[in-house]
Amino acid sequence: MSKQDRNFDDISNKFAQNIYGTTKGRIREAVVWQELENILANYPSHKPLNILDAGGGQGQIACKLAKLGHNVTICDISQQMLELAKQKASEENIEINCLCCSIQQLHTLFEEQFDIVICHAVLEWVAEPIELIQSLKKHLKADGYLSLMFYNYHGLLFKTVTLGNFGYTQAGLTKRKKKTLSPDFPREPNDVYYWLTQLDFIILQKIGIRIFHDYLANKSKAETHFEQLLELEKQYCRSEPYLNLARYILVTAKKIN
């Protein structure tokens, strides 16, 4: 773990309010879950899988998977986020294995490999992204599935320009304040695809998360017309040019070596 990697202990409570409890959070969770169900469909339904949720935060995805009967391990560098995950699991009467450590240090705790490794909205917070993907690969079985979601540089640039924030654009999208929910290292999609292929992954699917939501001129429509918006998000999330302008991109990849 680099000293530049972001720990959310200081603002963990903001996530529930600013992300998970909003229309953008609901769209993100719905589209992500749809793709995870597609991954799960490749396995026998009666077989519990071993799943790692790396950088899993408050455990929304981990708990949904555990509810289906899978063995889920979640790791995060934020103890406060993990406490919220444990609380959620307890409220739903399910078990998840919680580890407070960085993804890069997981190998010091165990050598176990998993059927599925999930890493969502982490890549944009770490200073050494290739090292992170290498760490994920260590804990993935041969022919296992990686679900990797990252904050898209192109979506950020497009949104910034349409807001008329030219100062931020001219500054190279560099943040002024470090302790915010705006990611430190937005990723160029082609860079991420290249890193994956160089590390012997086959990319099976690319999906845009929030391809329309963040560009609504009338923000209130996200609430009043949520179901229509979600339907359109799901309909066009795999299609260009929408995919490349999404706020996040979700990649499903398979380990081949």
Side-chain angles (χ1 to χ4, degrees), residues 31 34 211-212 228-239 242:
V31 178
Q34 178 178 257
I211 57 176
F212 298 126
Q228 294 97 317
L229 178 59
L230 178 58
E231 182 180 347
L232 288 166
E233 293 274 354
K234 288 182 175 181
Q235 182 179 349
Y236 290 100
C237 64
R238 294 172 175 81
S239 305
Y242 316 108

Side-chain angles (χ1 to χ4, degrees), residues 187-219:
R187 297 299 175 193
E188 286 267 7
N190 285 337
D191 288 345
V192 179
Y193 306 151
Y194 177 75
W195 298 333
L196 287 169
T197 54
Q198 288 297 297
L199 290 170
D200 294 323
F201 283 96
I202 295 177
I203 295 174
L204 303 175
Q205 187 64 267
K206 303 169 187 174
I207 293 175
I209 308 291
R210 297 197 338 245
I211 57 176
F212 298 126
H213 176 280
D214 292 23
Y215 303 115
L216 286 176
N218 185 344
K219 300 298 184 186

Side-chain angles (χ1 to χ4, degrees), residues 13-249:
N13 289 328
K14 280 190 177 182
F15 273 81
Q17 179 181 355
N18 294 3
I19 296 181
Y20 299 129
T22 63
T23 54
K24 65 182 180 181
R26 287 158 60 197
I27 285 174
R28 174 170 136 178
E29 188 171 351
V31 178
V32 165
W33 186 250
Q34 178 178 257
E35 182 57 17
L36 286 176
E37 286 183 320
N38 290 336
I39 295 174
L40 293 173
N42 291 294
Y43 295 94
S45 58
H46 64 276
K47 177 188 175 184
L49 301 175
N50 293 323
I51 301 174
L52 171 65
D53 191 356
Q58 298 182 16
Q60 275 81 358
I61 293 295
C63 287
K64 288 186 79 166
L65 290 165
K67 268 188 173 181
L68 295 177
H70 300 298
N71 304 312
V72 183
T73 295
I74 180 174
C75 77
D76 204 284
I77 57 175
S78 169
Q79 184 64 55
Q80 289 187 18
M81 296 287 268
L82 286 177
E83 289 302 322
L84 292 171
K86 291 176 184 177
Q87 180 181 336
K88 181 175 178 61
S90 176
E91 290 170 354
E92 298 184 11
N93 197 29
I94 53 177
E95 289 188 12
I96 56 175
N97 181 29
C98 295
L99 300 173
C100 188
C101 71
S102 71
I103 296 168
Q104 299 93 322
Q105 293 301 312
L106 270 175
H107 69 279
T108 65
L109 301 180
F110 57 74
E111 296 181 357
E112 182 180 355
Q113 291 187 316
F114 296 81
D115 300 295
I116 300 171
V117 170
I118 298 167
C119 187
H120 294 167
V122 178
L123 202 63
E124 61 269 22
W125 296 104
V126 297
E128 301 294 339
I130 298 174
E131 179 188 354
L132 181 85
I133 297 172
Q134 288 172 327
S135 297
L136 297 171
K137 182 183 176 182
K138 287 179 185 175
H139 295 288
L140 186 61
K141 292 179 180 178
D143 288 328
Y145 289 88
L146 172 66
S147 179
L148 181 69
M149 184 173 75
F150 61 91
Y151 194 78
N152 177 20
Y153 175 87
H154 299 313
L156 175 61
L157 176 60
F158 193 82
K159 178 65 173 176
T160 301
V161 174
T162 57
L163 287 173
N165 195 345
F166 300 111
Y168 186 37
T169 306
Q170 290 171 343
L173 304 182
T174 302
K175 298 193 319 185
R176 293 179 183 175
K177 297 179 180 179
K178 290 298 181 185
K179 301 294 186 178
T180 71
L181 292 178
S182 179
D184 298 328
F185 307 102
R187 297 299 175 193
E188 286 267 7
N190 285 337
D191 288 345
V192 179
Y193 306 151
Y194 177 75
W195 298 333
L196 287 169
T197 54
Q198 288 297 297
L199 290 170
D200 294 323
F201 283 96
I202 295 177
I203 295 174
L204 303 175
Q205 187 64 267
K206 303 169 187 174
I207 293 175
I209 308 291
R210 297 197 338 245
I211 57 176
F212 298 126
H213 176 280
D214 292 23
Y215 303 115
L216 286 176
N218 185 344
K219 300 298 184 186
S220 67
K221 293 289 182 73
E223 286 283 0
T224 60
H225 293 71
F226 180 79
E227 292 303 326
Q228 294 97 317
L229 178 59
L230 178 58
E231 182 180 347
L232 288 166
E233 293 274 354
K234 288 182 175 181
Q235 182 179 349
Y236 290 100
C237 64
R238 294 172 175 81
S239 305
E240 294 291 5
Y242 316 108
L243 165 58
N244 218 34
L245 290 176
R247 183 49 57 99
Y248 289 87
I249 293 178

